[in-house]
Every structure is written in structure tokens, then in C-alpha cells.
């Protein structure tokens, strides 16, 4: 039900903005360790701290609960859950964690995940991709080439993210496909936090083109091999830029 005060339905946009403000303060604080596991956050204290209603606090807490960052109990309050229970695949949790000082460790962990998943997904894509998906891969790979010089990282990122989403989707495996948001956050975080060169590694750009060609040719072995080289290169880049 919409939260309504004296202003009726016009109150909802303001309530939503307040909810987002609380969430974007609490979430990063929890993932940064400002509130260690076991910390109890009292609803009334949060109301006063953020100068918002109980409804707004509860909305924000519900989102944090869905991410398994906290649990709420009557007469106890909102308790921060152990780190190992967090939904580390949630895109927003990934975004918050990448904003932390231990960003290099997070990027290595996520890139290791990519190394395990994406080569297999590319191999499957070579077997299952539709002609439309092959065309998408080729288009994004060529656009990556076109935006790989002249410090066009924002434009390059758009096509890089789209390329990897297509690979995961074209694998025909719904579990792989659901990791599209995870990979998107890794690539976006790496770019926004400048943990990559001002111009992408030419070898990596070329490898994307080769993956697209291998998928189109139905060469699963080559698609898997080239994709593994991409992820190995990403780890190597981290060693240089975020030791």
C-alpha cells in the first residue's frame, strides 16, 4: 500500500526517494564493515538518524533482508548477518562491495568466477547460439574494436557488457544466463573505479572478435579457449593496476 500523509498519493515519490537514501547509506556501510556481523540496529534510532518515518526504514530494511545482509526480529531489532550469508551475487551488493577499500580482492574473486563460468558458456554458445545471437556478438565485438582507442571507455563498456550477456544467454543454460548482471557489475565496477587501462588491451579486444568468430563457426573448443584467455588477461591486468 502506498504511504500516504496529508499530501495523499503525492507523498509516494518523496517516500521512495527517502527509502533510496536510507538504503544507499546503510547498504554500503554494512558491506564496508562499519556495522560488523552481530551489530543490532534499532528501528527508532534509524528513524532519528535519517529523519524518516518507520515505514521508510522498514522498506529499506526489507530490501537489505532480501540481500541477506540483515535479519529483523521483533523486540530485538535489525541484526547484521555474517558475511558468509550475504547474497554476494546480488548486483547491488557487488556494487557496494566494489566501492570498498578491498576492491582488488573483490575483483579477483569475481574474475575467478568469470574464469570458471564464461569459457564453458562460450563453448556452449558455439553449439547453441542462434543466427541472431551470432550477429549480435559480431556487432558488439566490432563496436568494441571501434571504441577501443581514444579513451572511449564508457562507450566501450556498453558493448563489452552486451557481448558477455549474449555469450551467457546464448549458452542455452539458464543458470549461466542469470549471471549476466553479475558480469555486468564486474565490468562496470572495473571501469568506474579505473581498474583498467585508459584504452583497453588490444589483445583482449582481438580475442573478443575471435570468440564471436568461433561461436559463429560452431567451434566450441576455440570459443572456450579464447574466452579463457580473456579472463586470464583480466586477472593479469588486475595484478598490474590493483596489486
Amino acid at each position: 500500500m502506498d504511504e500516504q500523509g496529508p499530501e495523499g498519493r503525492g507523498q509516494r515519490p518523496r517516500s521512495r526517494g527517502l527509502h533510496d537514501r536510507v538504503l544507499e547509506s546503510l547498504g554500503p556501510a554494512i558491506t564496508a564493515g562499519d556495522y560488523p556481523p552481530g551489530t543490532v540496529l534499532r528501528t527508532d534510532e534509524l528513524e532519528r538518524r535519517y529523519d524518516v518515518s518507520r515505514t521508510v526504514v522498514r522498506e529499506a530494511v526489507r530490501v537489505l533482508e532480501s540481500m541477506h545482509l540483515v535479519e529483523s526480529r521483533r523486540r530485538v531489532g535489525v541484526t547484521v548477518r555474517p558475511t558468509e550469508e550475504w547474497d554476494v551475487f546480488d548486483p547491488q551488493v557487488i556494487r557496494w562491495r566494489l566501492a570498498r577499500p578491498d576492491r582488488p580482492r573483490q575483483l579477483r574473486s569475481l574474475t575467478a568466477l568469470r574464469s570458471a563460468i564464461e569459457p564453458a558458456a562460450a563453448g556452449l554458445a558455439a553449439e547453441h547460439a542462434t543466427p541472431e545471437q551470432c550477429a549480435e556478438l559480431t556487432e558488439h565485438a566490432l563496436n568494441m574494436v571501434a571504441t577501443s582507442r581514444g579513451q572511449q571507455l564508457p562507450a566501450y563498456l556498453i558493448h563489452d557488457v552486451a557481448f558477455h550477456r549474449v555469450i551467457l544467454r546464448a549458452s542455452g543454460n539458464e543458470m549461466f544466463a542469470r549471471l549476466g548482471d553479475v558480469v555486468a557489475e564486474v565490468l562496470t565496477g572495473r571501469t568506474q573505479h579505473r581498474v583498467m587501462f585508459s584504452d583497453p588491451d588490444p589483445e583482449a579486444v582481438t580475442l573478443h572478435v575471435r570468440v564471436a568468430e568461433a561461436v559463429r563457426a560452431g567451434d566450441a573448443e576455440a570459443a572456450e579457449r579464447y574466452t579463457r584467455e580473456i579472463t586470464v588477461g583480466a586477472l593479469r591486468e588486475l595484478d598490474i593496476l590493483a596489486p
Side-chain angles (χ1 to χ4, degrees):
M1 180 178 295
D2 294 351
E3 178 181 341
Q4 297 188 30
E7 300 172 354
R9 288 189 178 276
Q11 180 75 5
R12 182 172 183 178
R14 179 174 180 274
S15 174
R16 184 67 185 179
L18 293 173
H19 155 271
D20 290 341
R21 178 166 64 83
V22 174
L23 185 64
E24 288 300 326
S25 176
L26 268 180
I30 290 171
T31 56
D34 295 344
Y35 301 112
T39 300
V40 177
L41 306 171
R42 306 289 301 186
T43 301
D44 54 350
E45 293 175 358
L46 295 174
E47 290 173 41
R48 288 193 295 272
R49 182 184 309 166
Y50 294 106
D51 190 23
V52 295
S53 69
R54 178 160 299 188
T55 299
V56 170
V57 170
R58 283 175 175 170
E59 288 177 353
V61 168
R62 274 197 293 268
V63 176
L64 295 173
E65 283 183 301
S66 72
M67 299 172 177
H68 298 175
L69 296 180
V70 303
E71 62 179 345
S72 181
R73 290 184 179 179
R74 189 182 299 274
R75 299 191 184 90
V76 175
V78 179
T79 305
V80 178
R81 299 176 67 164
T83 307
E84 57 269 20
E85 295 179 5
W86 295 355
D87 181 1
V88 294
F89 293 110
D90 185 288
Q92 200 159 22
V93 173
I94 292 173
R95 198 175 312 135
W96 290 336
R97 297 182 83 190
L98 286 178
R100 290 165 43 171
D102 67 343
R103 182 181 309 117
R105 185 177 68 83
Q106 296 298 327
L107 282 172
R108 281 183 175 81
S109 177
L110 290 162
T111 303
L113 174 68
R114 291 183 60 199
S115 299
I117 298 299
E118 287 197 78
L124 289 171
E127 299 173 355
H128 301 294
T130 65
E132 292 76 18
Q133 289 169 332
C134 289
E136 282 186 76
L137 281 176
T138 299
E139 179 183 0
H140 291 306
L142 293 178
N143 281 325
M144 289 172 71
V145 173
T147 56
S148 63
R149 288 291 172 268
Q151 299 184 13
Q152 303 181 68
L153 286 183
Y156 180 88
L157 175 64
I158 292 172
H159 300 293
D160 194 12
V161 168
F163 181 94
H164 290 280
R165 283 190 184 277
V166 175
I167 285 290
L168 292 166
R169 193 171 67 248
S171 70
N173 183 302
E174 71 277 10
M175 303 296 284
F176 288 174
R178 288 294 298 274
L179 291 174
D181 289 343
V182 172
V183 173
E185 287 299 334
V186 177
L187 297 174
T188 300
R190 189 181 64 173
T191 301
Q192 291 181 342
H193 294 292
R194 301 184 180 182
V195 191
M196 66 180 299
F197 299 118
S198 56
D199 281 336
D201 178 13
E203 182 180 354
V205 177
T206 300
L207 285 169
H208 282 79
V209 175
R210 289 178 176 169
V211 170
E213 292 172 343
V215 170
R216 188 174 63 246
D219 190 339
E221 182 180 348
E224 185 169 345
R225 182 174 70 253
Y226 292 140
T227 303
R228 182 169 291 106
E229 289 182 33
I230 290 173
T231 58
V232 168
L235 283 169
R236 189 164 54 239
E237 197 167 286
L238 281 174
D239 289 338
I240 296 172
L241 298 176

